[in-house]
Amino acid sequence: MAAPSPAAGGSAAENPLTLLTLDELRQRTSVKWRMHSSDVLPLWVAEMDVPLAPPVADALRRAIDLGDTGYAYGRAYAEALGDFAARRWGWHSFRVDHATVVPDVMMGIVEVLRLVTDPGDAVVVCSPVYPPFYAFVSHAGRQVIEAPLGPDLRMDPAALDEAFRRARACGRRPAFLLCNPHNPTGVVHRRDELEAVAELARRHGLRVISDEIHAPLVLPGTHFTPYLTVVGAENGFALTSASKAWNLAGLKAALAVAGPQAAADLDRMPEEVGHGPSHLGVIAHTAAFRADGQWLDLLLDGLDGNRTLLETLLAKHLPSVAYHRPEGTYLAWLDCTALGIPTEQPDGEPGVASEIAGPAQMFLDRARVALSSGHVFGTGGAGFVRLNFATSPAILTEAVTRMGRAVDELHPSTS
Ligand SMILES: Cc1ncc(COP(=O)(O)O)c(C=O)c1O
């Protein structure tokens, strides 16, 4: 496995994905490392096997040394995101006064839904999609309508048109919850696709809420387009944070950003929502966006290497599993339908992210590799698994080798 190394930091030029050993990672107490027993390689939930980026660790250390652990205040987080967004994505129209701090991206989505939809209204999602899109929307008393992705895993304008029409018919103030980059497929929506979304949403009277939490993780060869930079998107919202790209899910703080025609709606956000984010979270996310630069680029190079390594490993050990090379995120959406594993789904709605069935259950039982089960991502997910490749090449190699062995044992005659 990965060479022994200090448990934090690493030298400036190293791939952050190679700095921690499996023994070090197993000392972590987060859900990735504690949900399953210690013989399981966990490649499921969206946490990364990296030490904290040095600028983030320094900012947190400084806060702790100062006892700076009170309540969050000010606009530094929004300013840091604004500068990052201008540098990285050319989002020069970003308005700090149109951004507000929310506890995390999912709670921010719920709070924006409360501003622009009513109980019982419809929220359209492109399935298969991040399971909490179902759970949080339903829990907020809104109903989910699916617009399934096309066979190329990109948004399907005809399915969107139909879903938007149905959403309009069943409620007064419907919304579209966009995921860009898309989890679990890693597709990064192009500007022309986003313009088509904005035009359709205007035509049918839906408000668009764009979840852009994976945006800093767009991989070499692809460019990220923020939804709010698109013509027609002026009444939309974006939600983001440094949580995915700097592995800060445990340090709660995110930003809701309004387009110019949505700023008045965002102003109606109840003050108490701003009490949810943690001050240490705000410090960490601000430091991450401020630092930009070398650490993130080394991470993206490492993830780029892993997405190619995964392609090679799958071709060698699991040739019947289909892999669409992701353009962003560290998630690989693997089509395991050709393995012929029964995919009956447990009762209930999609959305329970930790529920396992079908191929994911087989890989957990026989390979001792934990993956996310496709069926919880909604229509189109059964028979797939989502693999998180934000780990060391050594762990990735071991996991896919074990998965291949499990399939060979399952179908000995074909191996
Ligand atoms: C698309 C997407 N949105 C939101 C989240 C969760 O973000 P938060 O913890 O800030 O609610 C995730 C986590 O993986 C995600 O993939």
Side-chain angles (χ1 to χ4, degrees):
M1 293 277 151
S5 63
S11 96
E14 285 175 293
N15 171 1
L17 294 162
T18 60
L19 296 179
L20 296 174
T21 65
L22 192 54
D23 285 347
E24 286 166 337
L25 288 163
R26 289 209 189 281
Q27 290 170 41
R28 290 186 168 179
T29 57
S30 62
V31 67
K32 183 176 189 186
W33 292 95
R34 289 300 158 102
M35 173 74 95
H36 299 284
S37 55
S38 61
D39 60 330
V40 170
L41 290 176
L43 302 187
W44 63 292
V45 68
E47 296 181 19
M48 294 197 291
D49 297 347
V50 293
L52 215 43
V56 176
D58 290 346
L60 288 171
R61 238 178 254 120
R62 182 172 156 73
I64 286 170
D65 290 347
L66 284 173
D68 183 12
T69 50
Y71 296 109
Y73 179 74
R75 290 183 162 176
Y77 186 3
E79 284 164 3
L81 172 63
D83 291 346
F84 179 89
R87 279 196 309 271
R88 209 94 183 167
W89 308 316
W91 186 356
H92 299 291
S93 60
F94 184 97
R95 292 267 305 262
V96 168
D97 57 334
H98 290 177
T100 190
V101 185
V102 290
D104 57 32
V105 164
M106 287 315 302
M107 289 315 298
I109 287 171
V110 167
E111 293 300 338
V112 171
L113 282 175
R114 287 194 219 283
L115 297 175
V116 298
T117 66
D118 294 305
D121 281 347
V123 178
V124 175
V125 303
C126 284
S127 60
V129 74
Y130 180 56
F133 275 24
Y134 295 88
F136 280 70
V137 168
S138 312
H139 190 64
R142 276 66 174 166
Q143 53 173 311
V144 175
I145 291 184
E146 293 183 326
L149 299 172
D152 58 354
L153 300 182
R154 304 200 76 92
M155 289 187 291
D156 176 353
L160 278 177
D161 191 34
E162 167 63 11
F164 285 9
R165 199 188 48 71
R166 281 173 53 213
R168 185 70 202 174
C170 72
R172 210 168 53 85
R173 298 201 300 164
F176 174 44
L177 185 46
L178 172 70
C179 193
N180 188 27
H182 193 90
N183 173 359
T185 59
V187 164
V188 178
H189 306 304
R190 295 186 309 263
R191 180 170 291 275
D192 62 301
E193 293 172 314
L194 296 171
E195 278 170 1
V197 164
E199 193 276 318
L200 271 178
R202 290 271 183 181
R203 182 151 25 105
H204 291 281
L206 277 80
R207 300 296 289 277
V208 178
I209 303 168
S210 182
D211 177 336
E212 301 184 353
I213 196 168
H214 291 277
L217 291 168
V218 168
L219 296 171
T222 305
H223 179 73
F224 173 70
T225 305
Y227 180 69
L228 294 180
T229 65
V230 155
V231 174
E234 299 79 8
N235 68 350
F237 298 86
L239 273 297
T240 199
S241 78
S243 172
K244 293 299 115 183
W246 284 266
N247 202 39
L248 304 178
L251 289 158
K252 294 273 179 187
L255 285 163
V257 187
Q261 292 167 14
D265 290 313
L266 197 62
D267 283 346
R268 293 188 288 108
M269 181 83 87
E271 195 200 310
E272 62 269 23
V273 175
H275 294 195
S278 120
H279 179 44
L280 287 179
V282 170
I283 288 171
H285 290 250
T286 304
F289 280 126
R290 267 201 192 128
D292 185 18
Q294 199 186 17
W295 188 88
L296 180 60
D297 288 334
L298 287 168
L299 173 72
L300 294 177
D301 282 349
L303 292 175
D304 189 21
N306 277 3
R307 91 177 145 162
T308 300
L309 173 64
L310 180 58
E311 201 163 5
T312 310
L313 290 168
L314 288 169
K316 181 170 174 199
H317 300 286
L318 287 164
S320 56
V321 167
Y323 167 63
H324 288 256
R325 191 177 162 84
E327 299 169 305
T329 79
Y330 43 73
L331 307 169
W333 185 234
L334 306 181
D335 181 350
C336 300
T337 47
L339 297 179
I341 294 160
T343 56
E344 314 86 65
Q345 297 178 25
D347 292 339
E349 300 292 310
V352 184
S354 58
E355 199 175 73
I356 298 190
Q361 186 70 58
M362 186 280 288
F363 285 125
L364 179 59
D365 293 342
R366 291 173 171 264
R368 310 306 285 154
V369 174
L371 305 162
S372 298
S373 186
H375 77 283
V376 299
F377 293 78
T379 299
F384 284 71
V385 296
R386 191 193 72 177
L387 182 151
N388 171 352
F389 58 84
T391 190
S392 67
I395 291 177
L396 187 59
T397 303
E398 171 69 13
V400 181
T401 307
R402 285 193 201 179
M403 289 163 65
R405 219 179 290 135
V407 169
D408 289 347
E409 283 165 13
L410 208 59
H411 304 298
S413 55
T414 58
S415 62

